[in-house]
Amino acid sequence: MDLNDSTSLAELMSRYVSTETGFGVPKDGWRICLAHEFKEKRKPFQARDVSLSNMIEHVSLGVRYLRWWYRKTQVEKKAPFIDMFRALPLRQIYGAPLGGIGGGSITRGWRGDFCRWQLNPGMYHYKTVIANQFTVCLCRGGQTVYQQVLSMDRPPTLQGWNWGYCGEYAFYHALYPRAWTVYHLPGQNVTLTCRQVSPVIPHDYKDSSLPVAVFVWDIENKNDYALDISIMFTMINGSGHKDDKSGGHWNEPFHLEKDGESVSGVLLHHQTPVNPYTLCIAAREKVILTGSTITRLHQTAFSPKGTCSALWSDLMTDGRLDSPKDSSPPTQKGEEVAAALAVSCSVPANNHNSVEFSLAWDMPKITFGSRERIYVRRYTRYYGTKGDAAPYLSHYALTHYSKWEESIDEWQRPILQDGSLPAWYKSALFNELYFVVDGGTVWVELPEDADISGGLRPEDGGLPAQPDVVKEYGRFAYLEGQEYRMYNTYDVHFYASFALIMLWPKLALSVQYDIAGSVVQHDPTERLNLMNGRYSPVKTRGVVPHDIGDPDDEPWVRANAYLIHDTADWKDLNLKFVLQVYRDYYLTQDEQYLKDMWPICQTVMEVELKFDKDGDGLIENSGYADQTYDGWKVTGPSAYCGGLWLASVCMMCKMARVLKCESVYQRYRDILERGRAAFDKLLWNGKYYNYDSSGQSLSNSVMSDQCAGQWFLRASGLGEDDYQAFPKEKICSALKSVFDLNVMSFAGGQMGAVNGMRPEGVPDRSSVQSDEVWVGVVYGLAATMIHEGMIEEGMHTAEGCYRAVWERMGMAFQTPEAYCEKGIYRSLAYMRPLSIWAIQLALNNRPNHNKTTDKDVGQGNGIKPTTLRCLTGMPG
């Protein structure tokens, strides 16, 4: 099923000239030579890329957006939640992010640069901080014989350092949440392997929240003489942001001994008036088998301006640093300060040794853009809110990372050792999880006085003020994308949620409770909808919100940051809520969750039934009422929304039976029977379901996502017998049509599935979205194919996206929402591709592959034991 695994690897590694393979680097993952240059250079989609016909059709929208954009940027001095005029340029540099979930993230690029920062919640800063580096020093007989910054850069600053490491002697390998960089030192017969470890562990709700990462340096000395080797870690106090020069920042050394383990390093206190934090670089003292000691030395403060030759000379003298004991004075306005930490060890001839560093950051209390409320991050449950946790986080990380790795190995091993799975898939499955951490993610504790119910109590058909799962596991939010700055965008979360429900199910349920509580809320504030120019309430009662808010405003307080459409008109959001409720129950068997969600499901379905205007059991659309494909016009019942509707009705039947609500079951059973007949009559054309039922010239376009309802039914153990919404033969025929046209007739079958294809085999170019490939939708499509037994077709479809994004376009760890066949991409680092975990669920639901039953009940982890084995590969 691999298109060309060896060929693809050869291309990314073609400039690697060394034969060294590194220490303990796994076979599977994404691997690239540090000297590689991507040939394909793409540009972001911007307003000028709209076709003339679409521009004419949407000229009023364009004028309204321009006015809104000007007011937002020039008057309010805020960043637009979507900026059509200043899209992020493609930087083909990113690697696996550092840290756990929801405590902020720092991305280290595949060439070793610290280059993407999200410490303030949801707000990204893209700056490569050149002073943040690792440097190696080799000493023999007390004399330094080699000293090199492990960076290919040749910056105009810090010219007293030895820059310009030859990238042809190094490669990067990522298998998230770990990554390895192998550096062969030319002419020295020494190889360094830097292993980066972050505590991202399925079903772990403590360590996975910690804002810390570990760098383990394995040093191989292949000479016939011993060497003393030092690794120096330098870090600026800040993130390369302008507030680094705001003044008042200071550094101090620390030493912490606990449980017989000693850790030392430097604390970098960043004293901004909003969301202050402390960075911490640290190392552990240990005695190796030869009896020699790992030595840790530091430089509390140095200026990252000028040549900085004093620090370089200090290290070169003997591989050590002076280690002053005092704190640095606070910086003056306009000044920057940095710190250095060096770790030295002896490496015998033809032998190996290792040293360990950690990087932690402690921002316990956070406010969002409006600064109305203070939240505390999840990890403060274990480390407090005083802002003094960095030494303890570092100590814990350096003394527990080996246990993290054991858990990571236990989770990943069954999948990595499955010979039926192609190598590209193993890389994609784990590496796409980067977004769980690097999606502007926040994970906060629920305040004691919080009420998430929206004011409607269980006895009135609402929720508890503080449901147990939210009280115990906190609130979780991630952005639609780093460029589309809205938290928990629900139509996108619908696809991405497979990663959460399979790996951190309590977080998935917490999101559902938040959404459910917002359904009953009403915000009558009138605002302009950019698409139609009309004013409408921000939030309508009985409707699932598009999102829970903008981090530059006040999430959880003001929902629906998205203001393109009138939120009351969106039909698919309510349906996606119902579909997720039953799927989540099916996978977790959490009966209290189902009972809590049942009245909310009934509420949103009553709203949907208003759109069944002719009583045929099928809801109708008009204009742009489908939120997922909100740029693609639809008239009347459609394949996408109609399919989601029938699947939702089917699940209402199933939930009613589980909860023994016979009258509700009979009602929805009748709707299902009528709706199935109407759906087939209006949309089936003999090969696939038409895009919509309007009968217009483009209504028979082939939509790649037309079987989304069937996908969720299969993922929830339904789709047959009493709970069948679509005939199997028609689903298979539709999927075959999609594969033949949207996949194989597009870009030579090598780029996934285009959203819309005409029956004659050319892309539907009627809208901005119809001729795009959406990576997350393609992964969901592939899962649907696999559920229906089309395993080879499904894997080929998904493979095209992975190859295009990770191997040709240079978009590793920033998978976009969309790309066109040539030239254009849209919205880097997007939530939806997390749907690749739906493929894993489909693969494990194959016949004779640990099939689960409704009787399997979980034991303390919120998910059925046999399901847990299938979903994550971990032992039950």
Side-chain angles (χ1 to χ4, degrees), residues 481-528:
Q482 291 181 13
E483 293 192 79
Y484 287 10
R485 209 182 55 243
M486 296 160 283
Y487 272 132
N488 292 353
T489 298
Y490 201 69
D491 64 294
V492 183
H493 171 71
F494 173 75
Y495 296 81
S497 61
F498 281 88
L500 290 184
I501 195 61
M502 293 166 68
L503 302 175
W504 294 276
K506 300 300 186 183
L507 296 185
L509 299 189
S510 177
V511 170
Q512 285 289 91
Y513 274 103
D514 261 331
I515 295 296
S518 70
V519 166
V520 301
Q521 295 177 358
H522 177 63
D523 184 348
T525 307
E526 295 277 320
R527 72 172 179 191
L528 178 68

Side-chain angles (χ1 to χ4, degrees), residues 77-97:
K77 303 298 182 183
K78 292 261 189 175
F81 70 93
I82 297 177
D83 195 333
M84 289 293 295
F85 298 107
R86 295 186 293 204
L88 284 178
L90 176 60
R91 301 175 70 202
Q92 298 166 315
I93 64 172
Y94 297 115

